[in-house]
């Protein structure tokens, strides 16, 4: 509705908005883009303005960013995941815009980014031309589906590009073997939808945070969202090393006597390491080990705040 207003669709009567609602979403976007381009802008530019002004990182973003995962894919345009990664000091490079090797962690933005309005995928022509313009990005997602078990969070599974991507993977993996038992990933779903689960039953497992007969009202949605946060926190506790807090001074109160003694011994050892030893390749490996135990950077024995 906001985009339609910017494109001059609507007016006092609202009849044009009603007519617009009769169109498929991709055709709605196409019409809005046509109108906006007549005024010297585009739907990508306007989406970037609207989404870019709403940069509020949620607990879910931070929990997802905290998982020990190096490969992430999104169809969203916002920069919330990147911001969450900065908050927890685990930077991520954004593909395809930063293909360098500066970080092992990356986020693939399939449908563009607010920082690159010209790449926003939203209209029917964008989807039709996706294979030609961004086939390499599809290949990355297909490789993940084949080699990893993907976790889908906040994803409706209705995206046409994803439908084509996973179907090609189905053919490559299963061929005509309909009985081939292989799940490509797991879906976290706030609302139960047994028919949607049935459609995807051969491809994906499901974790649902509400009952099938539970009303889809605001209170139920909030309750299910809270359960999802708890689940992600619980998942992170199992996926993360139990020693990752050892050298972080914020967790001193929860250390056992043995952990505290080990921490103190490490600090004493650090005080005795000469500068020449810190110039060796072995020292770099030792620093990585210390980082996995909660110390991001050493300056003598003082951790980064």
């Amino acid at each position: 509705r906001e985009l339609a207003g910017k494109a001059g669709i609507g007016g006092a009567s609202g009849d044009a908005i009603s007519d617009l609602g009769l169109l498929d979403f991709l055709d709605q976007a196409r019409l809005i883009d046509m109108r906006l381009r007549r005024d010297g802008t585009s739907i990508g530019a306007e989406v970037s303005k609207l989404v870019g002004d709403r940069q509020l990182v949620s607990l879910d973003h931070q929990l997802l960013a905290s998982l020990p995962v190096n490969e992430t894919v999104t169809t969203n345009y916002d920069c919330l995941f990147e911001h969450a990664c900065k908050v927890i000091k685990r930077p991520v490079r954004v593909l395809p815009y930063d293909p360098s090797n500066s970080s092992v962690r990356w986020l693939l933005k399939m449908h563009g980014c607010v920082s690159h309005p010209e790449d926003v995928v939203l209209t029917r022509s964008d989807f039709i031309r996706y294979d030609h313009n961004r086939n390499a990005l599809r290949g990355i997602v297909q490789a993940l589906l084949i080699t990893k078990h993907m976790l889908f969070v906040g994803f409706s599974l209705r995206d046409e590009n994803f439908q084509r991507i996973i179907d090609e993977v189905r053919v490559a993996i299963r061929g005509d073997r309909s009985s081939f038992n292989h799940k490509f990933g797991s879906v976290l779903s706030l609302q139960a939808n047994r028919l949607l689960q049935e459609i995807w039953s051969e491809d994906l497992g499901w974790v649902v945070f509400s009952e099938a007969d539970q009303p889809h009202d605001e209170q139920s949605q909030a309750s299910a969202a809270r359960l999802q946060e708890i689940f992600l926190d619980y998942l992170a506790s199992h996926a993360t090393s139990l020693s990752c807090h050892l050298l972080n001074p914020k967790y001193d109160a929860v250390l056992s006597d043995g952990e505290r003694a080990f921490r103190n011994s490490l600090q004493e050892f650090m005080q005795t390491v000469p500068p020449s030893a810190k110039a060796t390749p072995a020292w770099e490996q030792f620093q990585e080990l210390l980082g996995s135990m909660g110390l991001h950077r050493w300056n003598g024995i003082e951790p980064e705040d």
Side-chain angles (χ1 to χ4, degrees):
R1 185 177 289 273
E2 289 183 63
L3 289 170
K6 291 178 178 292
I9 302 172
S13 65
D15 291 341
I17 289 292
S18 298
D19 291 342
L20 185 68
L22 298 176
L23 301 177
D24 181 87
F25 280 118
L26 299 182
D27 292 325
Q28 291 183 36
R30 172 60 176 158
L31 178 63
I32 290 171
D33 188 52
M34 290 172 60
R35 295 281 188 96
L36 289 172
R37 288 186 182 278
R38 294 172 189 168
D39 296 330
T41 182
S42 68
I43 196 168
E46 297 304 323
V47 165
S48 295
K49 292 176 184 177
L50 291 172
V51 176
D53 290 339
R54 299 167 182 172
Q55 300 293 338
L56 182 60
V57 178
S58 69
L59 178 58
D60 285 287
H61 287 101
Q62 294 180 345
L63 288 170
L64 288 170
S66 299
L67 291 174
V69 175
N70 290 330
E71 306 95 357
T72 308
V73 180
T74 185
T75 55
N76 292 342
Y77 315 121
D78 60 67
C79 297
L80 300 180
F81 186 80
E82 299 96 293
H83 292 333
C85 289
K86 290 180 181 179
V87 169
I88 65 169
K89 300 176 182 178
R90 295 186 66 207
V92 61
R93 56 193 173 101
V94 179
L95 301 180
Y97 308 112
D98 183 17
S100 67
N101 296 319
S102 58
S103 173
V104 296
R105 300 186 75 220
W106 51 260
L107 169 68
L108 172 63
K109 290 198 166 181
M110 288 185 62
H111 289 175
C113 178
V114 292
S115 59
H116 294 80
E118 68 281 1
D119 287 346
V120 167
V121 175
L122 188 54
T123 69
R124 184 171 297 281
S125 58
D126 292 333
F127 278 84
I128 291 173
R129 298 168 186 167
Y130 192 91
D131 291 354
H132 179 266
N133 295 335
R134 310 187 189 200
N135 197 41
L137 305 187
R138 297 175 71 247
I140 295 175
V141 181
Q142 289 173 332
L144 290 176
L145 286 166
I146 293 174
T147 62
K148 306 286 186 179
H149 185 90
M150 297 187 72
L151 179 67
F152 295 87
V153 185
F155 189 59
S156 69
L157 300 173
R158 293 180 173 87
D159 180 82
E160 292 191 11
N161 281 330
F162 179 74
Q163 297 272 1
R164 287 195 292 269
I165 288 171
I166 199 168
D167 188 63
E168 291 174 2
V169 173
R170 285 192 197 106
V171 174
I173 293 292
R174 298 173 182 157
D176 296 329
R177 297 169 295 169
S178 59
S179 61
F180 187 78
N181 186 22
H182 174 77
K183 301 290 187 184
F184 298 115
S186 297
V187 178
L188 303 189
S189 178
L190 298 186
Q191 301 292 344
N193 187 328
R194 291 174 179 171
L195 297 181
L196 185 63
Q197 289 176 236
E198 182 179 347
I199 290 174
W200 290 94
S201 59
E202 295 182 357
D203 303 312
L204 303 169
W206 290 76
V207 179
V208 182
F209 299 105
S210 62
E211 299 296 332
D213 57 352
Q214 189 169 336
H216 293 184
D217 54 24
E218 186 174 342
Q219 183 177 354
S220 299
Q221 187 87 351
S223 177
R226 179 57 180 158
L227 281 178
Q228 178 173 276
E229 292 173 346
I230 295 171
F231 176 85
L232 288 173
D233 191 30
Y234 182 70
L235 177 64
S237 71
H238 281 273
T240 306
S241 167
L242 295 179
S243 62
C244 61
H245 65 292
L246 187 67
L247 298 178
N248 189 327
K250 296 178 181 179
Y251 294 92
D252 180 74
V254 301
L255 297 181
S256 66
D257 291 341
E259 288 174 328
R260 192 170 287 107
F262 182 66
R263 189 269 318 273
N264 294 341
S265 296
L266 273 178
Q267 290 180 337
E268 291 174 5
F269 168 72
M270 288 296 302
Q271 291 176 324
T272 65
V273 178
S276 59
K278 295 182 179 181
T280 63
W283 174 253
E284 294 183 7
Q285 296 181 20
F286 185 62
Q287 279 187 307
E288 292 181 5
L289 175 62
L290 294 174
S292 70
M293 291 188 287
L295 204 55
H296 297 285
R297 184 182 66 196
W298 281 82
N299 180 12
I301 63 169
E302 294 298 323
E304 180 182 18
D305 186 7

